[in-house]
Amino acid sequence: MPFMNSMTFEAIELPPEANPLNPQTLLNTLTRAASTEQQQVQTGTQQLQNWEKQPGFYSSLQSVFVDKSLPLEVRYLSAIQLKNGIDKYWRKTASNAITKEEKALIRSRCLESGINEPDHRLALQNALVIAKITRFEFPHDWPDAITSVTQHLRSTSQPGANLIHLHHTLIILLYIIKELSTARLQRSRTSLQSAAPEVFRVLGNIYVAKARIWLEPLKSDGHGQHLLSEDMVASLLALRILRRLIIAGFEFPNRHVEVQEFWAIARVQFGDMLSLLTQHLDPLNSGARPQIEKHLLQLSKLHLEMVKVHPAAFALLPDSIGLTKAHWRLLVNFGQTFGVQSAVTETKMGSDGDAEDDIPCIEKLSLKGLLIIRACAKMVYTPSQTFKYQHEEDKAERKQSTALMRNELLTEPVIREMIETLVARFFVFRPQDLRAWEEEPGEWERREENEGDVWLFSIRLCAEKLFLDLIINNKDLLVAPLLNVFYAVATPQNSDILLKDSIYAAIGLAAPVLENELDFGAFLEATLVSEIQIQQPGYNILRRRIAVVLGQWLPVKEDLNRTLVYQIFQYLLHKDDKLNDVVVRVTAGRQLKNIIDPFGFTPEGFLPFAHPILSGVMSLIEEVELSETKMALLNTISVIVVRMQQHINPFADQIISLLPPLWEQAGEEYLMKQAILAILVALINSMFNQSQRFHPLILPLIRSSIDPTSESCPYLLEDGLDLWSSILEQTPSSSSDMFALTEYLFPMFDTADDTLRQALKITESYILLAPEAMLQSSPRFLSCFTALLATKPKREASGLITRFVELLIEAAERLGGQNAINHLTTVFLDTQLFVQILGNLRTACDSHQATGPNRPQSSIDGIVETDHFSVFARLALASPSTFAQALATASPSFDETITWLLTEWFSHFESMGNPERKKLSCLALTALLDLAPQKWIMGRLQELMGVWTEVVTECMDYPEDDPDEQDEGVKRDRGPGRDVTVFSDPDGLIPTDRPEVEEDRRRRDVAFADPIHRLHIKDFIRERLQRAIEACGGQEAFQREWLVNVDADVVRSFGELGVL
């Protein structure tokens, strides 16, 4: 019964609540949304969105779709809406998910409606709907999904059945197999594999029967193909499904008899169809030709996917070696015309050469053959490894397949033939390649760079990959013949440019293999220098190749004459030479990175050529149009800047002047802006403090990159932070504009780990650069850090936070003395930082004091606890009385708090792995003796003496002939009774081979002012202990009241240190 009779209505816009979901309003709304008037489309689309979450909406959409009396565009839109809704609401876990009853109704109608649908476009959309449902439902909620389709296949493939019904059933099965084969869940794959054998038998019979109907007549006389188009479509659809089913539906395809039989049949048919394509059928008059080409491409895809996904199965399936050799013979025959003008006779007139249909079928098949042969080579030379458990049968099959490929396919004669064919036929530029060079030089050069997976779609680039695999793994067999051809060709007198280019390409690719076999330095001086200066048409091809070859050889042959290489690249980048076209210069600009980057580069050797080469690359950046090419050339400049180090200073203004226009031109091309920021980072780091003059230009770029309200922030934040960090490290002094950037740090404290880590490091750079300003801003920073410590950040972030607080304390003591410490402590208390640290330590103490499975868990681990105690140690060392007052303020009971805190502090000493951290805590606890004769500290005299003994022994007990006497250039006092942690020579860290990084200088100054490296541990203990003895009433009173409570062995061990 029709869903709704067709009717006319007025397009009246009503609010959503005035449009309840019913058949009438749904039909009206779909009609509006499918109209050509923009207002109607917007109104209808909005109403459909309003109904998305209403029960019954999607089953109603299906009712519209199955009603064949309705307009096509309305039914089509309903199918689209249903398909999109399945993605959103079919999952059980989705909000407003489709109900179980509605799902059952949709499932019950989708198969019949799709099979009986007369319109192919609607049938296709319905197939997509069924496939998506199957992915969610099969096998648990829709266990008979594939079985039902298989039953329909049996009925629709019977003699006399409607072929349209068969086509639509095949389309449904095709998309079901597509969905299940790409599913990530192992459950879906396992379910597909359990159903695969039955489906394969039915589908295989259909394919063989339909293919025989049209293939046999064509083989016999090549006529009558116009009567066979429907059977061709059916066999092609069946083949497309079989290709996916064999790969995804069988874990070991070679072990199934049905697959073996099909493989053998398909092997024969591949040869028959290829023969028809190349011998019998007139390409201009035969309507069967396109269908045969499609069948051949599907078969070649099957071969390729099998060898990639199931390499052992491919080798063990019937006659796979013969099949691979057939692909190679096809390649050899295609190679006869690959570089000849007649090879392009099939290219369509008026096409731009970009569309897939512009590529002749024979070329597509040849490319697939190359990929198959390369996969076979990888099977032998670099077999894939797996962590999956393998049975003995699996291991035996892998071993057998490798032996088959090595002994029957990749034999020495075949390998020699492959190398000769690849170099002589497929390395050569074709006329269309050279035409593209002239017509679209930028795009052509980008493709030839062979980055990413471009080689998968180019015969020449794929041939280079296969050549490299063969030459690396058959060095003894192939090097001598290759060099013989090279010596015969590589003379300035030989004017066969295309042959030279292909041979030089082989020599460049084989550079790692030929490193000790070919005197490339002599070849460079005797041949390349002469050839690059030849002023004849076509030699731009050779110039480009020379740039590529030099970029391939110099990284592996670092003793080359670099001066000569620099001269060659300077020559290639000279724009006024007519042979140095855009392709030549861009290639030289790209390859220059491989010349500059290797280890043997010296700035002094490159300096005489720096100005003309940099000028050539920068003018080229302004000349080219493709953003990708601009970024590659910017990357080259970045490498030059990094490798030149401080020698780049004379050229910095020239480089900087190039960047603002590029930034403006980039617009929303954020990859380009990232490249610009990367160059600025390299410049800042190479120029050291000389980069300060560029701050007015750079600081606005940083601001726009890190501003959370900016559209570019999500794309440029990481690079902007790198640049910001570099500026802070290299600048000798702060400025108001630079400090104003700190406003953008606060939103970052709530972000992800990487951004937070970088923001904390930048904050640390600011406290080193501008301690006064950071002390004034400390309340806001400390409030953020208190919140961070409460959220249990990762160990590194927690360490950066506590390190910042330590630097604040040191800066306050250094700049303002006791008053500054008192003020900063007040800030600690006001921002709750002190309370937060104390609370974290209390959880650690409670956890360590308790036992059993129910003991409380500490909120911090051992390393973070050490960081927390280091903050308290800095404060206690700076002002013991202020520290004690802060404890009294932050806790309800000072006596209770100081008791558990000192207990945890002393017990944590054995967990402190860093000697400097251990010394810091020792100094702080010793400084608390200034508050003697307080019982809470004097009563800990035994624990104090144990700590003193341990720390003094660790700081002092080093042999005089220790080979590690110097640590990173810091000279330490090692005389008798001297503390090895005390720095004595501040000039020992200053580099002599380059300017000093300003932040390194600031860190050195802070390190030498640090009490850890300034105070002698024995002297400090002696001084504070003597004060405590005097505060307790003298030696006798100290002995009587406090020392008597200390274990005699502890006193003796401490006495042996000679502190007193």
Side-chain angles (χ1 to χ4, degrees), residues 694-759:
F694 299 130
H695 286 186
L697 170 68
I698 296 175
L699 293 180
L701 297 184
I702 296 175
R703 186 179 300 108
S704 67
S705 301
I706 64 176
D707 186 352
T709 63
S710 169
E711 294 182 359
S712 60
C713 181
Y715 310 99
L716 303 180
L717 177 60
E718 183 178 350
D719 299 275
L721 290 175
D722 289 339
L723 181 57
W724 191 3
S725 181
S726 297
I727 285 279
L728 293 174
E729 289 175 1
Q730 302 294 348
T731 186
S733 60
S734 183
S735 64
S736 58
D737 289 340
M738 184 176 295
F739 194 80
L741 292 175
T742 58
E743 285 293 322
Y744 298 105
L745 285 171
F746 299 105
M748 299 180 197
F749 295 145
D750 298 325
T751 55
D753 290 336
D754 290 339
T755 302
L756 172 62
R757 188 181 303 111
Q758 188 77 324

Side-chain angles (χ1 to χ4, degrees), residues 224-490:
Q225 55 268 23
H226 60 282
L227 302 175
L228 310 173
S229 59
E230 296 296 335
D231 291 310
M232 284 183 162
V233 172
S235 63
L236 180 61
L237 283 171
L239 183 57
R240 291 173 64 188
I241 304 169
L242 286 167
R243 173 171 68 85
R244 292 171 173 85
L245 189 63
I246 292 174
I247 301 302
F250 296 90
E251 188 173 4
F252 301 100
N254 59 297
R255 300 179 189 175
H256 293 264
V257 176
E258 296 94 339
V259 177
Q260 295 175 9
E261 293 174 350
F262 171 79
W263 187 267
I265 293 171
R267 164 71 182 94
V268 174
Q269 289 181 346
F270 181 78
D272 293 341
M273 294 181 196
L274 192 60
S275 176
L276 285 171
L277 190 66
T278 56
Q279 297 178 18
H280 299 301
L281 296 180
D282 183 352
L284 296 178
N285 299 325
S286 176
R289 184 183 185 89
Q291 290 293 334
I292 294 176
E293 290 179 347
K294 290 177 181 178
H295 280 76
L296 281 170
L297 288 173
Q298 288 299 317
L299 288 171
S300 64
K301 287 180 180 180
L302 171 62
H303 303 156
L304 178 58
E305 289 170 6
M306 182 66 76
V307 75
K308 288 169 64 177
V309 180
H310 303 290
F314 174 84
L316 299 176
L317 282 167
D319 197 27
S320 287
I321 301 297
L323 173 66
T324 308
K325 290 180 178 179
H327 277 289
W328 174 247
R329 287 193 297 272
L330 175 64
L331 264 169
V332 172
N333 293 333
F334 179 67
Q336 301 297 324
T337 57
F338 183 76
V340 183
Q341 184 65 40
S342 60
V344 296
T345 55
E346 291 188 74
T347 302
K348 297 181 180 179
M349 297 297 295
S351 69
D352 58 8
D354 290 336
E356 184 180 355
D357 289 342
D358 293 334
I359 303 174
C361 177
I362 195 70
E363 183 173 338
K364 295 178 186 178
L365 293 173
S366 299
L367 176 58
K368 291 290 187 297
L370 264 179
L371 294 170
I372 290 168
I373 294 167
R374 184 167 190 242
C376 292
K378 289 176 71 67
M379 192 191 312
V380 175
Y381 302 132
T382 56
S384 60
Q385 303 299 320
T386 178
F387 292 102
K388 186 178 179 181
Y389 176 78
Q390 290 185 311
H391 296 279
E392 290 300 323
E393 184 180 4
D394 305 340
K395 296 177 182 178
E397 285 185 352
R398 284 170 64 92
K399 186 175 180 180
Q400 182 185 357
S401 63
T402 302
L404 273 173
M405 287 296 172
R406 187 186 300 276
N407 299 328
E408 297 188 23
L409 177 65
L410 296 177
T411 60
E412 290 189 3
V414 172
I415 291 174
R416 287 197 190 96
E417 182 189 10
M418 285 182 177
I419 288 292
E420 292 173 3
T421 303
L422 292 175
V423 175
R425 299 296 180 186
F426 295 113
F427 280 17
V428 179
F429 285 125
R430 295 183 293 175
Q432 54 261 53
D433 295 323
L434 301 179
R435 185 167 61 250
W437 180 327
E438 294 293 333
E439 295 174 354
E440 298 180 343
E443 189 65 35
W444 185 89
E445 189 278 335
R446 182 190 63 80
R447 288 196 303 268
E448 289 299 309
E449 190 59 24
N450 198 6
E451 295 180 346
D453 294 335
V454 177
W455 63 274
L456 293 172
F457 310 99
S458 167
I459 284 187
R460 185 156 42 80
L461 300 181
C462 185
E464 291 180 359
K465 295 285 186 181
L466 178 59
F467 169 85
L468 196 55
D469 291 339
L470 295 175
I471 196 77
I472 287 175
N473 294 285
N474 299 275
K475 179 179 177 181
D476 296 337
L477 175 66
L478 300 176
V479 165
L482 178 62
L483 289 179
N484 290 336
V485 175
F486 168 71
Y487 291 136
V489 172

